[in-house]
Amino acid sequence: NTTSHTPINLHHYTHDYQGYSQEFLIALPNTTQPAPGIIILHPNHMNAYTSLREGFFLTQQGYTVCMPSLFGYANSQGTPDYGGPDTIQA
């Protein structure tokens, strides 16, 4: 029984918003064609890294996946607003 694994094309970015840095993980499918995008927002007290399993699965289905760490979680600065107005604006 042979198991094959397709490597994930994962990138780490930061974005500054009103003086605070927010981190994002972007997973890209292995294609040269445009791909539809999905944003995965993590649950409370988690971060972008906890979304990697779902992100990997969706990437394998042909989607580009953006996984931000919301403000106040992981390497994102600021006060948590739980997906509120600052997160949406950023």
Side-chain angles (χ1 to χ4, degrees), residues 17 23-26 37 42 44 55 57 60 82 84-85:
Y17 174 73
E23 75 173 342
F24 296 84
L25 298 176
I26 305 287
H42 62 79
N44 192 16
F57 173 78
Q60 295 299 307
Y82 310 106

Side-chain angles (χ1 to χ4, degrees), residues 7-62:
I8 188 168
N9 192 355
L10 186 65
H11 301 270
H12 180 268
Y13 297 99
T14 59
H15 170 73
D16 291 329
Y17 174 73
Q18 294 187 350
Y20 296 106
S21 179
Q22 184 177 26
E23 75 173 342
F24 296 84
L25 298 176
I26 305 287
L28 302 170
N30 291 324
T31 180
T32 58
Q33 300 299 314
I38 294 178
I39 298 174
I40 298 176
L41 297 179
H42 62 79
N44 192 16
H45 302 295
M46 304 237 176
N47 56 60
Y49 303 95
T50 59
S51 303
L52 282 173
R53 179 180 290 173
E54 292 83 2
F56 177 74
F57 173 78
L58 291 167
T59 299
Q60 295 299 307
Q61 307 307 308

